[in-house]
Amino acid sequence: MSRTAQVERKTKETEISVKLNLDGEGNVKIDTGVGFFDHMLTAFGVHGGLDLEVNVKGDLYVDAHHTVEDTGIVIGQAIAKALGDKSGIMRYGNAYIPMDEALGFCALDVSGRPFLVFDAEFTDDKMGEMDTCLVEEFFRALSFNSGITLHLKNCYGKNDHHIAEALFKAFAHAFKNAVKKNNNGEVLSTKGVL
């Protein structure tokens, strides 16, 4: 079974296309118009072992908010579509990722019950052209549109770039473990469905 998805979304604020292959090789092609965000999505694709193509045209003359949040929506929808009924996956994943002085942690459950706990603070207002507050907005949009229960924590760190990158990479590794195929192909739930 092919675990791939292609999702497109067009609003008055953004036009987004996402292609996703959960069983990829880390081949990524990202163009959101926001350099730092491109860097983070590239890290997600490479470390998550995904083939990920993201093309975004957003109202960057306003700011990056709509671009980042809406991209989270569409990537989340692509994840949900690629996973289908979520049968045959390990379901849970977690990872600690160091990035120089920063340490990021992620634990997640591909449960069908979206929730976000985001425990990280940033010192500066921006990283490149991306507002630091948009890191949380991205993960909220992704978790609620993919049906993932997602916990992210910055254990410690001083450099905002390192903190954000540790969180994206921790998410990538936790996600990769959660969507790995299990031994029996069944849904990992006492209910029998997710």
Side-chain angles (χ1 to χ4, degrees), residues 117-170:
V117 175
F118 187 87
D119 184 6
E121 293 183 7
F122 298 98
T123 304
D124 297 320
D125 291 335
K126 285 184 176 286
M127 296 171 288
E129 293 303 310
M130 180 172 154
D131 294 331
T132 52
C133 66
L134 295 181
V135 175
E136 182 174 0
E137 294 303 319
F138 168 77
F139 283 115
R140 179 178 292 108
L142 185 148
S143 66
F144 275 78
N145 285 274
S146 62
I148 292 175
T149 302
L150 177 58
H151 292 244
L152 288 160
K153 180 177 179 63
N154 170 44
C155 301
Y156 44 80
K158 294 180 180 179
N159 182 293
D160 287 343
H161 184 133
H162 296 162
I163 291 168
E165 190 164 346
L167 292 174
F168 271 86
K169 288 178 177 177

Side-chain angles (χ1 to χ4, degrees), residues 64-144:
H65 190 112
H66 300 140
T67 294
V68 173
E69 182 178 29
D70 290 7
T71 300
I73 290 171
V74 180
I75 291 176
Q77 291 172 344
I79 289 169
K81 186 175 179 181
L83 286 171
D85 66 1
K86 297 178 276 304
S87 62
I89 63 169
M90 296 302 294
R91 179 177 167 181
Y92 297 98
N94 64 79
Y96 281 97
I97 295 293
M99 184 73 189
D100 295 347
E101 88 297 343
L103 182 67
F105 173 71
C106 176
L108 62 83
D109 176 10
V110 184
S111 62
R113 296 187 309 276
F115 201 88
L116 175 67
V117 175
F118 187 87
D119 184 6
E121 293 183 7
F122 298 98
T123 304
D124 297 320
D125 291 335
K126 285 184 176 286
M127 296 171 288
E129 293 303 310
M130 180 172 154
D131 294 331
T132 52
C133 66
L134 295 181
V135 175
E136 182 174 0
E137 294 303 319
F138 168 77
F139 283 115
R140 179 178 292 108
L142 185 148
S143 66
F144 275 78

Side-chain angles (χ1 to χ4, degrees), residues 11-28:
T11 72
K12 292 180 179 179
E13 298 168 339
T14 58
E15 186 174 342
I16 300 172
S17 172
V18 170
K19 293 180 183 178
L20 172 68
N21 178 0
L22 296 177
D23 301 307
E25 299 175 350
N27 297 316
V28 297

